[in-house]
Amino acid sequence: MKKIIIIAIIIIVAIIAIFFIKSNYKNSILGNNISSKSADEIKKYILDINSYELTANITIESNKNTNVYVAQEKYVKENNIFEHEIVEPENVKGIKFTYDGTNLKIENSNLNLSKIYENYPYMGENTITLMSFINDYTDSNETNISENENEVILEVKLKNGNKYKAYKKLYIAKKTGVPNKLEIQDITQKTSIYILYNEIKINNLQKEDILAFKLKEISNDI
C-alpha cells in the first residue's frame, strides 16, 4: 500500500511539474515580441517599414542660434506619400507639406494660404525625416550597426552629404523596436540636428489617411 501511495505521489508531482513547464513555455512564446529579436532583425524591421505616423521634437543647432520645434509626420511607402506639419512654436504653427508621390502642396493654415507644385522632385531629400534616414541607409555602402544595453544604433555616412550634414544615427529601443531619436551630424561628427520621437506608430496608415486634397484645386500663393 505504501508503494502505491509513493508511486501516486510521484505521478502527481510529475504531472504538476509538466503543467508548470508547459505553462511557462506557453507564456514565454506569448511574450516573445520584438524585444527578443536580434539587432539585425530590428534593423530589417525598420528598413522594411511600410508606413508610420509620429510626433517629434526637432532641435536644429547653428553657429548663431538654436531652433526648436514640434512636428507631426506621416508616411506611406506606396507612391512615397508624405506629410509634415509644424505644430509648435506658435509663429510657424500650421505650416504643412503634403506630397502625393508627384505633386507637393504647401499650406499655411494661419494665413489661409496654399500652393500646389506639380511634378515636384522626390521628397525623400528632406533630410530630417525618418523616411529619409531609411532611404539613406538603404542606398549607402557606408553603414554600421551597433548596440548598447537598451538600444540598437544604425549609422550611415550620407552618399550625397556635405560638411553640415554628413552622418546620421538612428537609435531604436530594443524592447519595442521603435525609434527613440535621430541625430544628424556634420563632417566632424558633431550633432547639428537632434530629433526626439515622442509618439510613433508603425505600419498603421493607408495612403488615403494622408491624401485629402485635389491636385487641380485653385490655390493662393504662399
Side-chain angles (χ1 to χ4, degrees):
M1 188 67 179
K2 277 187 178 180
K3 266 189 183 179
I4 295 172
I5 293 171
I6 291 169
I7 291 170
I9 291 170
I10 291 171
I11 291 171
I12 291 168
V13 170
I15 290 171
I16 292 170
I18 290 168
F19 172 81
F20 277 110
I21 289 168
K22 283 187 174 181
S23 177
N24 288 335
Y25 175 76
K26 184 179 179 183
N27 287 338
S28 69
I29 293 297
L30 290 174
N32 185 22
N33 53 28
I34 193 88
S35 64
S36 65
K37 293 187 181 296
S38 68
D40 283 328
E41 287 173 313
I42 290 175
K43 179 186 81 171
K44 186 177 186 305
Y45 173 70
I46 293 298
L47 298 183
D48 289 345
I49 285 175
N50 290 315
S51 71
Y52 65 77
E53 54 183 320
L54 61 84
T55 301
N57 282 51
I58 302 170
T59 302
I60 301 175
E61 300 274 1
S62 69
N63 292 331
K64 295 181 179 179
N65 51 37
T66 299
N67 294 306
V68 180
Y69 67 95
V70 179
Q72 293 176 338
E73 191 176 302
K74 296 178 182 178
Y75 169 69
V76 175
K77 189 174 183 179
E78 183 185 358
N79 300 127
N80 293 311
I81 295 165
F82 173 74
E83 180 182 281
H84 184 90
E85 181 176 5
I86 300 173
V87 294
E88 290 181 23
E90 196 64 33
N91 63 320
V92 290
K93 180 179 179 180
I95 295 176
K96 182 194 292 187
F97 303 84
T98 308
Y99 184 66
D100 70 352
T102 304
N103 306 285
L104 172 68
K105 182 180 183 182
I106 303 177
E107 300 172 83
N108 187 327
S109 58
N110 283 340
L111 300 177
N112 197 28
L113 295 173
S114 66
K115 179 72 176 180
I116 293 176
Y117 297 88
E118 297 187 20
N119 301 312
Y120 195 82
Y122 180 48
M123 280 292 288
E125 296 177 0
N126 190 343
T127 309
I128 65 172
T129 64
L130 178 58
M131 73 169 183
S132 73
F133 174 86
I134 293 170
N135 292 332
D136 290 334
Y137 196 96
T138 303
D139 291 343
S140 178
N141 295 320
E142 297 184 69
T143 62
N144 185 52
I145 179 171
S146 60
E147 55 185 304
N148 57 37
E149 186 178 349
N150 299 312
E151 297 169 311
V152 172
I153 304 161
L154 303 182
E155 302 176 60
V156 58
K157 183 177 181 181
L158 302 183
K159 204 181 225 181
N160 300 311
N162 54 51
K163 66 179 182 179
Y164 302 108
K165 297 171 185 174
Y167 301 91
K168 290 184 179 181
K169 286 185 179 183
L170 184 69
Y171 295 76
I172 306 153
K174 286 182 177 180
K175 286 187 177 180
T176 61
V178 169
N180 284 335
K181 62 185 178 182
L182 173 64
E183 293 177 352
I184 300 173
Q185 301 175 328
D186 64 19
I187 199 166
T188 66
Q189 293 191 291
K190 178 184 176 183
T191 299
S192 56
I193 301 174
Y194 179 87
I195 302 167
L196 179 65
Y197 299 116
N198 296 323
E199 300 174 22
I200 182 166
K201 296 178 183 177
I202 293 174
N203 295 336
N204 286 336
L205 281 179
Q206 302 295 322
K207 62 182 181 179
E208 291 79 12
D209 296 322
I210 299 177
L211 299 181
F213 67 91
K214 296 179 181 178
L215 299 181
K216 298 298 182 182
E217 72 177 328
I218 298 173
S219 58
N220 299 318
D221 285 343
I222 192 166

